[in-house]
Amino acid sequence: QAAHVYRSLIAQWFEVKKSLPNNSYLEYRLEDLVRAPERMIRELCAFIGCEFNPRMLEIDLGHSHSNRWKQEFNNQERQEVQDILGETIVKLGYSL
């Protein structure tokens, strides 16, 4: 059920995004934020006109649960998620 809700939300975002100027939003992947938090946060601060503060890096992103579903779901559950989200995952730049 959560996969269906997620697919619907992402589909809505793709539609909304079509009507927005490219320079009016940023999209980040959680994995990129976890790998390079300072670079990503500095970029975000510059985008919104906010001064970077090193305290912004104090949040521990090490428990982001990225790809957790691939590790914790059994084969059948993973296949069900891929069946529901396969096209969406690819559109977001991920591989199955």
Side-chain angles (χ1 to χ4, degrees), residues 8 19 26 33 42 44 46 48 54 56-58 61 68 81 90-91 96:
S8 175
S19 66
L26 290 178
L33 182 60
R42 283 184 181 276
L44 177 61
I48 64 173
M56 294 174 177
L57 299 173
E58 292 177 4
L61 299 173
R68 181 175 159 190
V81 169
V90 172
K91 281 183 181 178
L96 294 175

Side-chain angles (χ1 to χ4, degrees), residues 9-28 88 90-93:
L9 288 170
I10 295 300
Q12 288 175 32
W13 167 241
F14 285 147
E15 286 303 310
V16 168
K17 187 166 86 165
K18 289 177 186 177
S19 66
L20 299 173
N22 286 339
N23 62 352
S24 68
Y25 64 90
L26 290 178
E27 289 182 287
Y28 286 134
T88 302
V90 172
K91 281 183 181 178
L92 291 170

Side-chain angles (χ1 to χ4, degrees), residues 22-63:
N22 286 339
N23 62 352
S24 68
Y25 64 90
L26 290 178
E27 289 182 287
Y28 286 134
R29 298 171 97 183
L30 177 60
E31 298 84 356
D32 295 336
L33 182 60
V34 169
R35 271 193 300 270
E38 184 170 349
R39 181 176 60 81
M40 304 299 282
I41 292 172
R42 283 184 181 276
E43 184 180 303
L44 177 61
C45 286
F47 181 79
I48 64 173
C50 170
E51 185 176 334
F52 173 78
N53 183 320
R55 291 193 66 208
M56 294 174 177
L57 299 173
E58 292 177 4
I59 297 172
D60 179 12
L61 299 173
H63 302 290

Side-chain angles (χ1 to χ4, degrees), residues 49-91:
C50 170
E51 185 176 334
F52 173 78
N53 183 320
R55 291 193 66 208
M56 294 174 177
L57 299 173
E58 292 177 4
I59 297 172
D60 179 12
L61 299 173
H63 302 290
S64 68
H65 301 292
S66 176
N67 287 318
R68 181 175 159 190
W69 70 276
K70 289 182 179 180
Q71 299 159 0
E72 294 187 6
F73 288 10
N74 64 39
N75 287 339
Q76 180 182 346
E77 292 167 331
R78 280 193 299 276
Q79 187 59 54
E80 288 175 21
V81 169
Q82 288 179 0
D83 290 346
I84 296 166
L85 294 178
E87 185 178 317
T88 302
I89 290 170
V90 172
K91 281 183 181 178

